[in-house]
Each structure stands twice: as C-alpha cells, then as structure tokens.
Coordinates of all heavy atoms in Angstrom, one line a residue:
M76 N 6.1 22.4 -4.7 CA 7.1 23.0 -3.9 C 7.2 22.2 -2.6 O 6.2 21.8 -2.0 CB 6.6 24.5 -3.6 CG 7.5 25.2 -2.6 SD 7.0 26.9 -2.2 CE 7.6 27.7 -3.6
T77 N 8.4 22.0 -2.1 CA 8.6 21.3 -0.9 C 8.7 22.3 0.3 O 8.8 23.5 0.1 CB 9.9 20.4 -1.0 OG1 11.0 21.3 -1.1 CG2 9.8 19.5 -2.1
K78 N 8.7 21.7 1.5 CA 8.9 22.6 2.7 C 10.2 23.3 2.6 O 10.3 24.5 3.0 CB 8.7 21.7 3.9 CG 8.8 22.5 5.2 CD 8.6 21.7 6.4 CE 8.7 22.5 7.7 NZ 8.6 21.6 8.9
A79 N 11.3 22.6 2.2 CA 12.6 23.2 2.2 C 12.6 24.3 1.2 O 13.2 25.4 1.5 CB 13.6 22.1 1.8
E80 N 12.0 24.2 0.0 CA 11.9 25.3 -0.9 C 11.1 26.5 -0.4 O 11.5 27.6 -0.6 CB 11.3 24.8 -2.2 CG 12.1 23.8 -3.0 CD 11.4 23.1 -4.1 OE1 10.2 23.1 -4.1 OE2 12.1 22.6 -5.0
L81 N 10.1 26.2 0.4 CA 9.3 27.3 1.0 C 10.1 28.0 2.0 O 10.0 29.2 2.1 CB 8.0 26.7 1.6 CG 7.0 27.7 2.2 CD1 6.6 28.7 1.2 CD2 5.8 26.9 2.8
V82 N 10.9 27.3 2.8 CA 11.8 27.9 3.8 C 12.7 28.9 3.1 O 12.9 30.0 3.6 CB 12.5 26.8 4.6 CG1 13.6 27.5 5.4 CG2 11.5 26.1 5.5
V83 N 13.3 28.5 2.0 CA 14.2 29.4 1.3 C 13.5 30.6 0.8 O 14.0 31.7 0.9 CB 14.9 28.6 0.1 CG1 15.6 29.5 -0.8 CG2 15.8 27.5 0.6
K84 N 12.3 30.5 0.2 CA 11.5 31.6 -0.2 C 11.2 32.6 0.9 O 11.3 33.8 0.8 CB 10.2 31.2 -0.9 CG 10.5 30.7 -2.3 CD 9.2 30.8 -3.1 CE 9.5 30.4 -4.5 NZ 8.9 31.3 -5.5
I85 N 10.8 32.0 2.1 CA 10.5 32.8 3.2 C 11.7 33.6 3.7 O 11.7 34.8 4.0 CB 9.9 32.0 4.4 CG1 8.5 31.5 4.0 CG2 9.8 32.8 5.7 CD1 7.9 30.5 4.9
A86 N 12.8 32.9 3.7 CA 14.1 33.5 4.2 C 14.5 34.7 3.3 O 14.9 35.7 3.7 CB 15.2 32.5 4.2
E87 N 14.3 34.5 1.9 CA 14.6 35.6 1.0 C 13.7 36.7 1.2 O 14.1 37.9 1.2 CB 14.6 35.0 -0.4 CG 15.7 34.1 -0.8 CD 15.5 33.4 -2.1 OE1 14.5 33.6 -2.8 OE2 16.4 32.6 -2.5
K88 N 12.4 36.5 1.2 CA 11.4 37.6 1.2 C 11.4 38.3 2.5 O 11.1 39.5 2.6 CB 10.0 37.0 0.9 CG 9.9 36.6 -0.5 CD 8.4 36.5 -0.9 CE 8.3 36.1 -2.3 NZ 7.7 37.1 -3.2
A89 N 11.6 37.6 3.7 CA 11.6 38.3 5.0 C 13.0 38.7 5.5 O 13.1 39.1 6.6 CB 10.9 37.3 6.0
N90 N 14.0 38.4 4.7 CA 15.4 38.8 5.0 C 15.8 38.1 6.4 O 16.2 38.7 7.3 CB 15.6 40.3 5.1 CG 17.0 40.7 5.1 OD1 17.9 40.0 4.6 ND2 17.3 41.9 5.6
L91 N 15.5 36.8 6.4 CA 15.8 36.0 7.6 C 16.8 34.9 7.2 O 17.0 34.6 6.0 CB 14.6 35.3 8.1 CG 13.4 36.1 8.6 CD1 12.2 35.2 8.8 CD2 13.8 36.8 9.9
T92 N 17.4 34.3 8.2 CA 18.3 33.1 7.9 C 17.4 32.0 7.6 O 16.2 32.0 8.0 CB 19.2 32.8 9.1 OG1 18.4 32.4 10.2 CG2 20.1 34.0 9.5
K93 N 17.9 30.9 7.0 CA 17.1 29.8 6.7 C 16.6 29.1 8.0 O 15.4 28.7 8.1 CB 17.9 28.7 5.9 CG 18.0 29.1 4.5 CD 18.8 28.0 3.7 CE 19.1 28.5 2.3 NZ 19.9 27.5 1.6
A94 N 17.4 29.1 9.0 CA 17.1 28.5 10.3 C 15.9 29.3 11.0 O 15.0 28.7 11.5 CB 18.3 28.5 11.3
N95 N 16.0 30.6 10.9 CA 14.9 31.4 11.5 C 13.6 31.3 10.7 O 12.5 31.2 11.2 CB 15.3 32.9 11.6 CG 16.2 33.2 12.7 OD1 16.4 32.4 13.7 ND2 17.0 34.3 12.6
A96 N 13.7 31.2 9.4 CA 12.6 31.0 8.5 C 11.9 29.7 8.8 O 10.7 29.6 8.8 CB 13.0 31.1 7.0
E97 N 12.7 28.6 9.0 CA 12.2 27.3 9.3 C 11.5 27.3 10.6 O 10.4 26.7 10.8 CB 13.2 26.2 9.2 CG 12.7 24.9 9.4 CD 13.6 23.7 9.1 OE1 14.8 24.0 9.0 OE2 13.2 22.6 9.1
R98 N 12.1 28.0 11.6 CA 11.4 28.1 12.9 C 10.1 28.8 12.8 O 9.1 28.4 13.4 CB 12.3 28.8 13.9 CG 13.4 27.9 14.5 CD 14.0 28.5 15.8 NE 15.0 29.5 15.4 CZ 16.2 29.3 15.1 NH1 16.7 28.1 15.0 NH2 17.0 30.3 14.8
A99 N 10.0 29.9 12.0 CA 8.8 30.7 11.8 C 7.8 29.8 11.1 O 6.6 29.8 11.5 CB 9.1 31.9 11.0
L100 N 8.1 29.1 10.1 CA 7.2 28.2 9.4 C 6.7 27.1 10.3 O 5.5 26.9 10.3 CB 7.9 27.6 8.1 CG 7.0 26.7 7.3 CD1 5.7 27.4 6.8 CD2 7.7 26.1 6.1
N101 N 7.5 26.5 11.1 CA 7.1 25.4 12.0 C 6.2 26.0 13.0 O 5.2 25.4 13.4 CB 8.3 24.8 12.7 CG 9.1 23.9 11.7 OD1 8.5 23.4 10.7 ND2 10.3 23.6 12.0
A102 N 6.4 27.2 13.5 CA 5.5 27.8 14.5 C 4.2 28.1 13.9 O 3.1 27.9 14.5 CB 6.2 29.1 15.0
F103 N 4.2 28.6 12.6 CA 2.9 28.8 12.0 C 2.1 27.5 11.8 O 0.9 27.5 12.1 CB 3.2 29.5 10.6 CG 2.0 29.6 9.7 CD1 1.0 30.5 10.0 CD2 1.8 28.7 8.7 CE1 -0.2 30.6 9.2 CE2 0.6 28.7 7.9 CZ -0.3 29.7 8.1
L104 N 2.8 26.5 11.3 CA 2.1 25.2 11.1 C 1.6 24.6 12.4 O 0.4 24.1 12.5 CB 3.0 24.2 10.4 CG 3.5 24.6 9.0 CD1 4.5 23.6 8.5 CD2 2.3 24.7 8.1
E105 N 2.3 24.7 13.5 CA 1.9 24.2 14.8 C 0.6 25.1 15.3 O -0.3 24.5 15.9 CB 3.0 24.3 15.8 CG 4.1 23.3 15.6 CD 5.3 23.5 16.5 OE1 5.2 24.3 17.5 OE2 6.3 22.9 16.3
S106 N 0.7 26.4 15.0 CA -0.4 27.2 15.4 C -1.7 26.9 14.7 O -2.8 26.9 15.2 CB -0.1 28.7 15.2 OG 1.0 29.1 16.0
V107 N -1.6 26.6 13.4 CA -2.7 26.3 12.5 C -3.3 24.9 13.0 O -4.5 24.8 13.2 CB -2.3 26.2 11.0 CG1 -3.4 25.5 10.2 CG2 -2.0 27.5 10.5
E108 N -2.4 24.0 13.3 CA -2.9 22.7 13.8 C -3.6 22.8 15.1 O -4.7 22.2 15.3 CB -1.7 21.7 13.9 CG -2.0 20.3 14.4 CD -0.8 19.4 14.5 OE1 0.2 19.7 13.9 OE2 -0.9 18.5 15.3
G109 N -3.0 23.5 16.0 CA -3.6 23.7 17.3 C -4.9 24.4 17.3 O -5.9 24.0 18.0
T110 N -5.1 25.4 16.4 CA -6.3 26.1 16.3 C -7.4 25.2 15.7 O -8.5 25.2 16.1 CB -6.2 27.4 15.4 OG1 -5.2 28.2 16.0 CG2 -7.4 28.1 15.2
L111 N -7.0 24.4 14.7 CA -8.0 23.5 14.1 C -8.5 22.4 15.0 O -9.6 22.1 15.1 CB -7.4 22.9 12.8 CG -7.3 23.8 11.6 CD1 -6.6 23.1 10.5 CD2 -8.6 24.4 11.2
V112 N -7.6 21.9 15.9 CA -7.9 20.9 16.9 C -8.8 21.5 17.9 O -9.8 20.9 18.3 CB -6.6 20.3 17.5 CG1 -7.0 19.5 18.7 CG2 -5.9 19.5 16.5
S113 N -8.5 22.7 18.4 CA -9.3 23.3 19.5 C -10.6 24.0 19.0 O -11.6 23.9 19.7 CB -8.5 24.2 20.3 OG -8.1 25.4 19.5
E114 N -10.5 24.7 17.9 CA -11.7 25.5 17.5 C -12.4 25.0 16.2 O -13.5 25.3 16.0 CB -11.2 27.0 17.3 CG -10.7 27.6 18.5 CD -10.2 29.0 18.3 OE1 -10.6 29.7 17.3 OE2 -9.3 29.4 19.0
G115 N -11.7 24.3 15.4 CA -12.3 23.7 14.2 C -12.3 24.6 13.0 O -12.8 24.2 12.0
K116 N -11.8 25.9 13.1 CA -11.9 26.8 12.0 C -10.8 27.8 12.2 O -10.5 28.3 13.3 CB -13.3 27.5 12.0 CG -13.5 28.4 10.8 CD -14.9 29.0 10.9 CE -15.1 29.9 9.7 NZ -16.4 30.5 9.6
L117 N -10.2 28.2 11.1 CA -9.1 29.2 11.1 C -9.3 30.0 9.8 O -9.3 29.5 8.7 CB -7.7 28.6 11.0 CG -6.6 29.6 10.9 CD1 -6.5 30.5 12.1 CD2 -5.3 28.9 10.6
T118 N -9.5 31.3 9.9 CA -9.7 32.2 8.8 C -8.5 33.2 8.7 O -8.2 33.9 9.6 CB -11.0 33.0 9.0 OG1 -12.1 32.2 9.1 CG2 -11.2 34.0 7.8
L119 N -7.9 33.2 7.5 CA -6.8 34.1 7.2 C -7.4 35.0 6.2 O -7.6 34.7 5.0 CB -5.6 33.4 6.7 CG -5.0 32.4 7.6 CD1 -3.9 31.6 6.9 CD2 -4.4 33.0 8.8
T120 N -7.9 36.2 6.6 CA -8.6 37.1 5.7 C -7.9 37.4 4.4 O -6.7 37.7 4.4 CB -8.8 38.5 6.5 OG1 -9.5 38.2 7.7 CG2 -9.7 39.4 5.6
G121 N -8.6 37.2 3.3 CA -8.0 37.4 2.0 C -7.4 36.2 1.4 O -7.4 36.0 0.2
F122 N -6.8 35.3 2.3 CA -6.2 34.1 1.8 C -7.1 32.9 1.8 O -7.3 32.3 0.7 CB -5.0 33.7 2.8 CG -4.2 32.5 2.3 CD1 -3.4 32.6 1.2 CD2 -4.4 31.3 3.0 CE1 -2.7 31.5 0.8 CE2 -3.6 30.2 2.5 CZ -2.8 30.3 1.5
G123 N -7.8 32.7 2.9 CA -8.8 31.6 2.9 C -9.1 31.1 4.3 O -8.7 31.6 5.2
T124 N -9.9 30.0 4.3 CA -10.4 29.5 5.6 C -10.2 28.0 5.6 O -10.5 27.3 4.6 CB -11.9 29.8 5.7 OG1 -12.1 31.1 5.7 CG2 -12.4 29.2 7.0
F125 N -9.6 27.5 6.7 CA -9.5 26.1 7.0 C -10.6 25.7 7.9 O -10.8 26.3 8.9 CB -8.1 25.8 7.6 CG -6.9 26.1 6.8 CD1 -6.3 27.3 6.8 CD2 -6.4 25.1 5.9 CE1 -5.2 27.6 6.1 CE2 -5.3 25.4 5.2 CZ -4.7 26.6 5.2
V126 N -11.3 24.6 7.6 CA -12.4 24.2 8.4 C -12.3 22.7 8.6 O -12.1 21.9 7.6 CB -13.8 24.5 7.7 CG1 -15.0 24.0 8.5 CG2 -13.9 26.0 7.4
V127 N -12.6 22.2 9.8 CA -12.6 20.8 10.1 C -14.1 20.4 9.9 O -15.0 20.9 10.6 CB -12.2 20.5 11.6 CG1 -12.3 19.0 11.9 CG2 -10.7 20.9 11.7
E128 N -14.3 19.4 9.1 CA -15.7 18.9 8.9 C -15.7 17.3 9.1 O -14.7 16.7 9.0 CB -16.1 19.2 7.5 CG -16.3 20.6 7.2 CD -16.9 21.0 5.9 OE1 -17.1 20.0 5.0 OE2 -17.2 22.2 5.6
E129 N -16.9 16.9 9.5 CA -17.1 15.4 9.8 C -17.5 14.7 8.5 O -18.5 15.2 7.8 CB -18.2 15.3 10.8 CG -18.4 13.9 11.3 CD -17.4 13.4 12.3 OE1 -16.8 14.2 12.9 OE2 -17.2 12.2 12.3
R130 N -16.9 13.7 8.1 CA -17.3 12.9 7.0 C -18.0 11.6 7.5 O -17.4 10.9 8.4 CB -16.0 12.4 6.2 CG -16.4 11.7 4.9 CD -15.2 11.3 4.1 NE -14.6 12.5 3.5 CZ -13.4 12.6 3.0 NH1 -12.6 11.5 3.0 NH2 -13.0 13.7 2.4
K131 N -19.2 11.4 7.1 CA -20.0 10.3 7.6 C -19.4 8.9 7.2 O -18.7 8.8 6.2 CB -21.4 10.4 7.0 CG -22.2 11.6 7.5 CD -23.6 11.6 6.9 CE -24.3 12.9 7.4 NZ -25.7 13.0 6.8
A132 N -19.8 7.9 8.0 CA -19.4 6.5 7.6 C -20.2 6.1 6.4 O -21.3 6.6 6.2 CB -19.8 5.6 8.8
R133 N -19.5 5.3 5.6 CA -20.2 4.9 4.3 C -19.7 3.5 3.9 O -18.7 3.0 4.5 CB -19.9 5.9 3.2 CG -18.5 6.1 2.9 CD -18.3 7.4 2.1 NE -16.9 7.5 1.5 CZ -15.9 7.9 2.2 NH1 -16.0 8.3 3.5 NH2 -14.7 8.0 1.6
V134 N -20.3 3.0 2.9 CA -19.9 1.7 2.4 C -19.2 1.9 1.0 O -19.7 2.7 0.2 CB -21.1 0.8 2.2 CG1 -20.7 -0.5 1.5 CG2 -21.8 0.5 3.5
G135 N -18.0 1.3 0.9 CA -17.3 1.4 -0.4 C -17.0 0.1 -0.9 O -17.5 -1.0 -0.4
R136 N -16.2 0.0 -2.0 CA -15.9 -1.3 -2.6 C -14.4 -1.3 -2.8 O -13.7 -0.4 -3.2 CB -16.5 -1.4 -4.0 CG -18.0 -1.6 -3.9 CD -18.5 -2.3 -5.2 NE -20.0 -2.5 -5.1 CZ -20.5 -3.5 -4.6 NH1 -19.8 -4.5 -4.1 NH2 -21.8 -3.6 -4.5
N137 N -13.8 -2.5 -2.5 CA -12.4 -2.8 -2.7 C -12.3 -2.9 -4.3 O -12.9 -3.7 -4.9 CB -12.0 -4.1 -2.1 CG -10.6 -4.4 -2.3 OD1 -10.0 -4.1 -3.3 ND2 -10.0 -5.1 -1.3
P138 N -11.5 -2.0 -4.9 CA -11.4 -2.0 -6.3 C -10.8 -3.4 -6.9 O -11.1 -3.7 -8.1 CB -10.5 -0.9 -6.7 CG -9.8 -0.4 -5.4 CD -10.6 -1.0 -4.3
R139 N -10.0 -4.1 -6.1 CA -9.4 -5.3 -6.6 C -10.4 -6.5 -6.6 O -10.5 -7.3 -7.5 CB -8.2 -5.7 -5.8 CG -7.0 -4.8 -6.1 CD -5.8 -5.3 -5.5 NE -4.6 -4.5 -5.8 CZ -3.4 -4.7 -5.3 NH1 -3.2 -5.7 -4.5 NH2 -2.5 -3.8 -5.7
T140 N -11.1 -6.6 -5.5 CA -12.0 -7.7 -5.3 C -13.5 -7.4 -5.5 O -14.3 -8.3 -5.8 CB -11.9 -8.3 -3.9 OG1 -12.3 -7.3 -2.9 CG2 -10.4 -8.7 -3.6
G141 N -13.8 -6.2 -5.5 CA -15.2 -5.8 -5.6 C -16.0 -6.0 -4.4 O -17.2 -5.7 -4.3
K142 N -15.4 -6.5 -3.3 CA -16.1 -6.7 -2.0 C -16.4 -5.4 -1.3 O -15.6 -4.5 -1.3 CB -15.1 -7.6 -1.2 CG -15.7 -8.0 0.1 CD -14.8 -8.8 0.9 CE -15.3 -9.2 2.3 NZ -14.4 -9.9 3.1
E143 N -17.6 -5.4 -0.7 CA -18.0 -4.2 0.0 C -17.1 -4.1 1.3 O -16.8 -5.1 2.0 CB -19.5 -4.2 0.4 CG -20.4 -4.0 -0.7 CD -21.8 -3.8 -0.3 OE1 -22.1 -4.0 0.9 OE2 -22.6 -3.4 -1.2
I144 N -16.8 -2.8 1.6 CA -16.0 -2.5 2.9 C -16.7 -1.4 3.6 O -17.3 -0.5 2.9 CB -14.5 -2.3 2.6 CG1 -14.4 -1.1 1.7 CG2 -13.8 -3.5 2.1 CD1 -12.9 -0.6 1.5
K145 N -16.6 -1.3 4.9 CA -17.2 -0.2 5.6 C -16.1 0.8 5.8 O -15.0 0.5 6.3 CB -17.7 -0.7 7.0 CG -19.0 -1.6 6.9 CD -19.5 -2.0 8.2 CE -20.7 -2.8 8.0 NZ -21.2 -3.3 9.3
I146 N -16.4 2.0 5.5 CA -15.4 3.1 5.7 C -15.9 3.9 6.9 O -17.0 4.4 6.8 CB -15.3 4.0 4.4 CG1 -14.9 3.2 3.2 CG2 -14.4 5.2 4.6 CD1 -15.0 3.9 1.9
P147 N -15.1 4.0 7.9 CA -15.6 4.7 9.2 C -15.7 6.2 9.0 O -15.1 6.8 8.1 CB -14.5 4.3 10.2 CG -13.3 4.0 9.4 CD -13.8 3.5 8.1
A148 N -16.5 6.8 9.9 CA -16.6 8.2 9.9 C -15.3 8.8 10.3 O -14.5 8.2 11.1 CB -17.7 8.7 10.9
T149 N -15.0 10.0 9.8 CA -13.7 10.6 10.1 C -13.8 12.1 10.0 O -14.8 12.7 9.4 CB -12.6 10.1 9.2 OG1 -11.3 10.6 9.6 CG2 -12.8 10.5 7.8
K150 N -12.9 12.8 10.6 CA -12.8 14.3 10.4 C -11.8 14.6 9.3 O -10.7 14.0 9.3 CB -12.4 15.0 11.7 CG -13.5 14.9 12.8 CD -13.0 15.6 14.1 CE -14.0 15.5 15.2 NZ -13.6 16.1 16.4
V151 N -12.1 15.6 8.5 CA -11.2 16.0 7.4 C -11.1 17.6 7.5 O -12.0 18.3 7.9 CB -11.7 15.6 6.0 CG1 -11.6 14.1 5.9 CG2 -13.1 16.1 5.8
V152 N -9.9 18.1 7.0 CA -9.7 19.5 6.9 C -10.0 19.9 5.5 O -9.5 19.3 4.5 CB -8.3 19.9 7.3 CG1 -8.1 21.4 7.1 CG2 -8.0 19.5 8.7
K153 N -10.8 20.9 5.3 CA -11.1 21.5 4.0 C -10.6 22.9 4.0 O -10.6 23.6 5.0 CB -12.6 21.4 3.7 CG -13.1 20.0 3.6 CD -14.5 19.9 3.1 CE -15.0 18.5 2.9 NZ -16.3 18.4 2.4
F154 N -10.2 23.3 2.8 CA -9.8 24.7 2.6 C -10.6 25.4 1.6 O -10.9 24.9 0.5 CB -8.3 24.7 2.1 CG -7.8 26.1 1.8 CD1 -7.5 26.9 2.8 CD2 -7.6 26.5 0.5 CE1 -7.0 28.2 2.6 CE2 -7.2 27.8 0.2 CZ -6.8 28.7 1.3
R155 N -11.1 26.6 1.9 CA -11.9 27.4 1.0 C -11.1 28.7 0.7 O -10.9 29.5 1.7 CB -13.2 27.8 1.6 CG -14.1 26.5 1.9 CD -15.5 26.9 2.4 NE -16.1 25.7 2.8 CZ -16.6 25.5 4.0 NH1 -16.4 26.4 5.0 NH2 -17.2 24.4 4.3
P156 N -10.6 28.9 -0.5 CA -9.8 30.1 -0.8 C -10.6 31.3 -0.7 O -11.8 31.4 -0.9 CB -9.3 29.8 -2.2 CG -10.3 28.9 -2.8 CD -10.8 28.0 -1.7
G157 N -9.9 32.4 -0.2 CA -10.5 33.7 -0.1 C -10.4 34.5 -1.5 O -9.8 34.0 -2.4
K158 N -11.0 35.6 -1.5 CA -11.1 36.4 -2.7 C -9.8 36.8 -3.3 O -9.5 36.7 -4.5 CB -12.0 37.7 -2.5 CG -12.2 38.5 -3.7 CD -13.2 39.6 -3.5 CE -13.4 40.5 -4.7 NZ -12.8 40.3 -5.9
L159 N -8.9 37.3 -2.4 CA -7.6 37.7 -2.9 C -6.8 36.6 -3.5 O -6.2 36.7 -4.6 CB -6.8 38.3 -1.8 CG -7.3 39.6 -1.2 CD1 -6.4 40.1 0.0 CD2 -7.4 40.7 -2.2
L160 N -6.9 35.4 -2.9 CA -6.2 34.2 -3.5 C -6.8 33.8 -4.8 O -6.1 33.5 -5.8 CB -6.2 33.0 -2.5 CG -5.5 31.8 -2.9 CD1 -4.0 32.1 -3.2 CD2 -5.6 30.7 -1.8
K161 N -8.2 33.8 -4.8 CA -8.8 33.4 -6.1 C -8.5 34.4 -7.2 O -8.2 33.9 -8.4 CB -10.4 33.5 -5.9 CG -10.9 32.3 -5.1 CD -12.5 32.5 -5.0 CE -13.1 31.5 -4.2 NZ -14.6 31.7 -4.0
D162 N -8.4 35.7 -6.9 CA -8.1 36.7 -7.9 C -6.6 36.5 -8.4 O -6.3 36.7 -9.6 CB -8.3 38.1 -7.4 CG -9.8 38.4 -7.2 OD1 -10.7 37.6 -7.8 OD2 -10.2 39.4 -6.5
A163 N -5.7 36.2 -7.5 CA -4.3 36.0 -7.8 C -4.1 34.8 -8.7 O -3.2 34.9 -9.6 CB -3.5 35.9 -6.6
I164 N -4.9 33.8 -8.6 CA -4.7 32.6 -9.4 C -5.3 32.8 -10.8 O -4.8 32.2 -11.7 CB -5.4 31.4 -8.7 CG1 -4.6 31.1 -7.4 CG2 -5.5 30.2 -9.6 CD1 -5.2 30.0 -6.6
K165 N -6.3 33.6 -10.9 CA -6.9 33.8 -12.3 C -6.0 34.4 -13.2 O -5.2 34.8 -13.5 CB -8.2 34.7 -12.2 CG -9.3 33.9 -11.5 CD -10.5 34.8 -11.6 CE -11.7 34.0 -10.9 NZ -12.9 34.8 -10.8

C-alpha cells in the first residue's frame, strides 16, 4: 500500500476529504518522528511500540570483492507489534 492509497482509505473511513486526510496523516507522521527523536519511544496501546535502538559498529564484507569494510554505529527504529495487532494478523 502506498501513502496515496492510505490517504484514500483514511478519507473514506473518517468521512474526510482527501486533502484533510493527507494533512491528518502528515501530522501523525511528523508527531511520530518528533517523539522518536526527542524521547526514543512511542507506544500506541494495542497497536505496538516504536523504539529507537543503537546498532553497534561492526565489520562486514563487500559481497563483490570480499574485502572487509567497517560499518559505523547507527540508530535504528524498531517496531514491536501489540497484542491487538498480533491477534488481527493471525
């Protein structure tokens, strides 16, 4: 599903115009991003939890040449689904 398709679904379910649905989705995405940057964790009860975690620096290999390369430490966002989402998927 693309962002445009999601906007259409939100507009239909919430009885909004596509423009208002897109503004709402953009506001939600900006809020999630801002919360993860400032606090590092966002929990949506029943849906799941977004957590920022640190990935350590490590040594990898270039698959073409086999040469060792250093992969720097970085932060990644991980998602852990909640019970309601897990049950809905089953």
